[in-house]
Amino acid sequence: MANAAPIKFASPLIDDATIAAVGDVLRSGHITSGPWVARFEAALSAFCGGRPVRVLTSATSAVEVALQLLGIGEGDEVITCGQSFFTVLNMIVKQRATPVFVDCDLATRNIELGRVAARIGPRTRAIIPTHWPGSLVDMDALHDLARAHKLRVIEDAALVIGSRWKDRPVGAFGDLVAFSFHPNKNITSIEGGALVCNDADEARQVEVLRFHGIERQPDGTRDVAFPGGKFNLPDVNARIGLAQLERLPAFLAQRRRLVDRYFERFVTDPACVLPPRPVAGDGQSWNMFCILLPLARMQMTRKEFRDALAVRGIATGVSYEALHLSTLGRRFGYRRGDLPNAERIADATVTLPLHAAMTTGDVDRVCAACAEVLAAHPSESRSARVEQ
Ligand SMILES: Cc1ncc(COP(=O)(O)O)c(C=O)c1O
């Protein structure tokens, strides 16, 4: 065990055929956005039930462009969840709009939709929910709420490409949907992201916004009416993303096997809170496996727990910090105690390794290491199964 290979936090699977295909793109002489971007977009569009999709350099740029597309700016409010990655907070503030945080459900970690209506006011323009792996936001309730209050929705689907809602994949319906192809996501293009749009006009506006804001004029000259960004995905990345999309079902099946194994083997400390257990045929994809440590009753800190796993060759993460308590979030008047579930998750989460390059034997090792560390530093009581 001491000499076992380290278990990385993420490890994308790029096969030899993809590496050869990238070589072909490099030799073609056309390496920035070109025919492979068009093919990747067409494949993503087919995956999303024919809705137009435009690729960008990240999910972050997709969210930024989505906010610009909706004309969201100073004086506008955007409702989002306090438990998510910095992207949503940053991009709302970058547009000079105001983030309005709602707490998440402690088990699913998704925005508590029941609390959203109370935060909607005359300046509210949009909702940005982050879908959590294993448990999508309730899409019917989300879009009913948005329609009732005439709000736009930008789904942060960075973690969940391949998840399904009532037999339709995320992205195939709804409003604007952002995906990430960062190396620790379900598929990768090294860096990359995509925005699913409602119609050809929105897709055309995204093309303008992702490339300097340039509009081509009938006389062959160019103009900008808006300071656009530079978020176009190169063909090299698109070629990788296209090859990865073909392998998505296999990647998701392996991730699901590993999650099932976590649920079989992670029986070490009943006071640890695991994610909601998946049920057969639920259509959910799994990008991360996050546990909540019973910190108040443990004789060690989360840092010590993670360090002890690192010594055993196991990399972990802390997804995510509480956005409202970041220095940027606090600028909008938030303080500790405002969103108790997001805060508890932010304090006690450990994200265990989960990626398609892992084996069930790796999961067994992670579970055994967690058991060993927790046994060496027992919590005072092991009776409570889930303290929710
Ligand atoms: C929930 C969530 N949203 C958005 C992003 C941003 O993705 P990208 O790195 O492609 O910008 C991430 C990245 O980790 C994420 O976890």
Side-chain angles (χ1 to χ4, degrees), residues 91-310:
M91 293 306 107
I92 293 167
V93 178
K94 207 169 165 197
Q95 292 311 120
R96 299 178 180 277
T98 301
V100 175
F101 290 111
V102 171
D103 208 356
C104 63
D105 180 89
L106 191 60
T108 67
R109 303 183 175 216
N110 284 320
I111 188 166
E112 279 194 304
L113 287 175
R115 291 180 185 272
V116 169
R119 304 304 309 276
I120 296 173
R123 295 166 155 207
T124 312
R125 297 281 316 280
I127 311 177
I128 308 186
T130 293
H131 289 293
W132 203 264
S135 312
L136 287 182
V137 172
D138 181 329
M139 301 285 236
D140 297 333
L142 169 70
H143 289 290
D144 283 353
L145 185 73
R147 259 191 306 275
H149 294 273
K150 296 191 170 41
L151 301 178
R152 297 297 300 262
V153 176
I154 304 170
E155 289 169 45
D156 173 2
L159 303 169
V160 295
I161 189 165
S163 284
R164 302 175 80 81
W165 176 260
K166 297 186 177 168
D167 280 341
R168 284 194 293 173
V170 172
F173 62 104
D175 195 349
L176 297 164
V177 183
F179 292 121
S180 172
F181 308 130
H182 178 273
N184 66 18
K185 301 303 185 288
N186 292 346
I187 57 170
T188 187
S189 58
I190 307 179
E191 297 289 350
L195 187 64
V196 187
C197 306
N198 290 292
D199 54 36
D201 181 53
E202 279 186 0
R204 198 198 66 79
Q205 290 182 60
V206 171
E207 289 170 13
V208 171
L209 291 167
R210 76 178 169 186
F211 195 71
H212 308 284
I214 289 176
E215 301 259 19
R216 292 178 194 280
Q217 305 300 301
D219 68 356
T221 62
R222 296 170 296 179
D223 187 28
V224 293
F226 180 92
K230 176 71 163 64
F231 304 132
N232 56 303
L233 191 76
D235 259 18
V236 168
N237 303 72
R239 185 67 192 88
I240 298 169
L242 186 62
Q244 290 266 304
L245 187 59
E246 287 164 11
R247 301 176 70 196
L248 177 63
F251 292 160
L252 293 184
Q254 178 60 4
R255 284 172 175 275
R256 182 62 176 249
R257 267 191 289 279
L258 300 171
V259 166
D260 289 342
R261 189 70 160 199
Y262 267 119
F263 278 101
E264 268 170 51
R265 295 295 162 106
F266 199 96
V267 291
T268 52
D269 188 330
C272 282
V273 179
L274 304 189
R277 187 183 279 269
V279 291
D282 63 9
Q284 300 298 303
S285 69
W286 282 83
N287 179 264
M288 299 195 289
F289 194 82
C290 300
I291 60 167
L292 273 188
L293 295 174
L295 278 181
R297 294 191 269 129
M298 279 171 63
Q299 294 169 18
M300 67 193 308
T301 64
R302 174 171 65 171
K303 170 98 171 49
E304 287 164 346
F305 178 83
R306 295 185 63 210
D307 288 349
L309 289 189

